[in-house]
Amino acid sequence: MRWWKWTAIILIAVLACGYGALSYMMGGPRDVYGFLRYALPQWRDGKLKLGDTAPNVRLLALDGQTTFHLSDRIGQRPLVLVFGSYT
Amino acid sequence: MNLYNDYKDRADFLTVYIREAHPLDEWQMKSNVDQGVCYAQPHSTEQRVAIANDFIQRFHFPVPFAVDDMHDIADHAYSAWPERIYIIDEQGKIVYRGGIGPFNYHPPEARAWLEKRFNVTPTPTTSAANGHPTNAAN
């Protein structure tokens, strides 16, 4: 067998072991796929640093119509900004 | 919500609802199915606002709330997905920048910043829960 065949076999074995280990850690192969397909591409540490001016983004109120800027909530006291979703 | 309850008299809070982390048409989690929290990724402002309102009603969520727009402007500006905490001071500067959830989402770090800022006796650190904004609690 040529060397490249052994290389391919070893590579496939390593990938299979890695996928198996991730499946075990994350609860199942479907979660590994979800992680690789949806989470990994969206994870961004970003470039903001301590001391940077907070981006003054525009946000929606819960009525879905009213908008305001983050700066409207800044200035009186420290602002704890929590990002998240339901799921 | 403990963090909010403990510091709402000294700091402002704002929860920003961003794109779903585990919608049923992407990477749905079994835990969400078990809890009956099953939503597709919103494709309109109305859908996104509706889910945000469902969340608030289910948890009687008292923290001031806002919704990111469908261009995910806030998410992109703060690299917030799937969950993240920042603290912004009175001059508009970032003074605390939490890690990206779920693995580096640690509300106790934000609590520690507030304790230091307001000279409050530190509380024993608890492990951070992952997930949605109700876990900005420790």
Side-chain angles (χ1 to χ4, degrees):
Chain A
M1 191 177 288
R2 294 179 183 173
W3 67 269
W4 58 267
K5 286 186 177 176
W6 282 108
T7 304
I9 289 170
I10 290 169
L11 187 62
I12 290 168
V14 167
L15 287 173
C17 288
Y19 201 86
L22 276 174
S23 296
Y24 178 76
M25 289 166 56
M26 300 185 71
R30 187 178 164 279
D31 289 314
V32 177
Y33 172 78
F35 173 76
L36 296 174
R37 168 72 177 78
Y38 294 106
L40 211 52
Q42 295 192 77
W43 264 352
R44 297 179 302 272
D45 192 46
K47 295 179 179 176
L48 291 175
K49 303 183 303 292
L50 294 181
D52 284 354
T53 298
N56 187 22
V57 293
R58 191 181 70 166
L59 297 165
L60 271 171
L62 282 169
D63 62 5
Q65 303 290 326
T66 310
T67 61
F68 64 92
H69 283 86
L70 191 64
S71 59
D72 298 339
R73 306 294 178 94
I74 294 173
Q76 300 298 313
R77 310 187 298 181
L79 174 66
V80 181
L81 198 54
V82 182
F83 294 92
S85 70
Y86 199 165
T87 60
Chain B
M1 283 178 278
N2 291 339
L3 187 64
Y4 172 72
N5 289 330
D6 291 346
Y7 285 95
K8 64 184 178 185
D9 294 331
R10 293 182 255 199
D12 291 318
F13 287 74
L14 183 64
T15 302
V16 181
Y17 174 79
I18 57 176
R19 59 183 279 115
E20 282 296 335
H22 298 289
L24 58 85
D25 52 343
E26 294 178 9
W27 178 20
Q28 190 177 32
M29 302 293 279
K30 184 177 181 300
S31 58
N32 286 326
V33 177
D34 294 342
Q35 294 167 15
V37 181
C38 302
Y39 295 97
Q41 190 68 264
H43 294 291
S44 70
T45 299
E46 290 74 18
Q47 291 171 350
R48 187 169 276 189
V49 169
I51 298 174
N53 278 295
D54 283 355
F55 171 83
I56 289 169
Q57 287 174 17
R58 175 166 179 173
F59 293 100
H60 305 287
F61 198 67
V63 185
F65 215 92
V67 179
D68 196 7
D69 77 2
M70 292 308 295
H71 298 292
D72 302 316
I73 289 174
D75 174 17
H76 292 159
Y78 286 87
S79 304
W81 190 93
E83 59 257 330
R84 199 164 196 175
I85 300 175
Y86 288 82
I87 299 177
I88 299 166
D89 72 6
E90 294 89 329
Q91 286 73 48
K93 303 293 185 186
I94 294 170
V95 291
Y96 169 76
R97 176 179 178 267
I100 308 168
F103 305 115
N104 293 309
Y105 180 79
H106 300 309
E109 290 180 357
R111 174 180 286 278
W113 189 93
L114 291 166
E115 287 169 344
K116 186 175 180 183
R117 168 70 170 75
F118 295 110
N119 208 16
V120 174
T121 305
T123 54
T125 303
T126 56
S127 61
N130 63 6
H132 53 63
T134 55
N135 289 327
N138 299 311

